[in-house]
Amino acid sequence: MSAQPDDGSSRERILAAATRLFAERGYDATSTRAIGEAVGLNIATVAYHVGGKAELYRAVMRRAHLAQREVVVAALRELRACGPSAAETRAALLGFVDAYLTFCMNHPEVPALWMRRWLSEGADLTEIEAEFAGPLISEVAVSVREVLDRAGLGPGVDVEMLVFTIVWTAHSFGQAGVIDPTGRRLGPRDLAVLDRFRRHLHDLVTSVTGRGPGGGEQER
């Protein structure tokens, strides 16, 4: 393996390999040596392009966050632009859910990276949540609350918990799928199962946001 920087694509290849390995194995079980071997480079060359393991992990999580944020911000823009009626707001909110679910299905490595962190992988790197996850969740919750209030929907809903519920379920379904009565694991590549999950998520969001302050259903 070369000990010298080879070309401009090295950093991208290192980040791609690191993303895959961190998603599959987690931060703690992935060494810089393993990442280098995956792209045919030694540790010195990896360090030249991306720094040490912690710096490489931050770069991977930053890329994952930016890809996620791009989709979320675009979907929030559509949500905030929806009409003020309850029906328009519900439809726009479900559109937001669909956009996020589609992102998770198209980029399974991103949910996998975050789920590894939920298992306390790289727990000492607490700035990942402070810099990336926390602000984005807050931005989504504020926007959802604003459009719900405008439409007179869900005055008693804990919007932040609703946002977390969407994230938890989308990430978990994308990674684990469901188990059928025979014990087979059916994942998101099974379009019938994916459609079933999407409808369930729609029903959940519609039901929660349709509740009045006392927990009852609001007028449709």
Side-chain angles (χ1 to χ4, degrees):
M1 291 186 292
S2 171
Q4 301 299 322
D6 53 357
D7 57 54
S9 70
S10 292
R11 178 178 169 83
E12 290 303 311
R13 293 192 296 118
I14 292 167
L15 287 172
T19 298
R20 176 176 59 80
L21 292 175
F22 284 140
E24 290 176 357
R25 304 177 185 178
Y27 177 80
D28 298 334
T30 301
S31 66
T32 306
R33 183 179 301 279
I35 294 168
E37 289 175 350
V39 291
L41 299 172
N42 63 24
I43 294 177
T45 305
V46 171
Y48 174 86
H49 286 289
V50 295
K53 179 178 171 179
E55 288 74 23
L56 176 53
Y57 182 69
R58 290 188 189 96
V60 165
M61 294 305 297
R62 184 175 297 107
R63 279 162 58 100
H65 167 73
L66 290 176
Q68 187 177 37
R69 179 175 174 76
E70 181 179 7
V71 170
V72 168
V73 168
L76 283 180
R77 192 179 303 117
E78 293 292 324
L79 176 62
R80 289 191 293 262
C82 74
S85 73
E88 290 169 314
T89 300
R90 288 193 188 95
L93 185 57
L94 295 182
F96 174 83
V97 170
D98 284 347
Y100 187 71
L101 179 59
T102 297
F103 171 81
C104 291
M105 299 305 102
N106 289 341
H107 300 275
E109 72 282 359
V110 176
L113 287 166
W114 284 113
M115 290 180 74
R116 287 287 183 182
R117 289 198 62 77
W118 297 350
L119 297 172
S120 298
E121 292 281 356
D124 55 323
L125 301 170
T126 57
E127 71 273 16
I128 300 296
E129 278 72 21
E131 184 178 352
F132 303 142
L136 187 57
I137 287 288
S138 178
E139 184 176 352
V140 173
V142 167
S143 293
V144 171
R145 179 76 275 164
E146 287 176 353
V147 298
L148 289 177
D149 286 349
R150 185 177 63 189
L153 289 172
V157 172
D158 187 330
V159 172
E160 187 176 76
M161 288 302 295
L162 175 60
V163 173
F164 276 120
T165 298
I166 293 168
V167 172
W168 294 329
T169 53
H171 286 202
S172 298
F173 173 76
Q175 296 300 301
V178 298
I179 305 296
D180 77 1
T182 71
R184 291 186 306 154
R185 187 178 298 279
L186 304 176
R189 292 187 179 182
D190 185 315
L191 296 183
V193 173
L194 176 58
D195 183 61
R196 179 184 169 197
F197 175 74
R198 190 188 306 273
R199 284 186 281 109
H200 170 72
L201 201 53
H202 282 197
D203 288 344
L204 179 121
V205 171
T206 300
S207 174
V208 169
T209 57
R211 287 207 314 251
E217 291 293 312
Q218 290 182 287
E219 294 288 334
R220 293 302 197 265

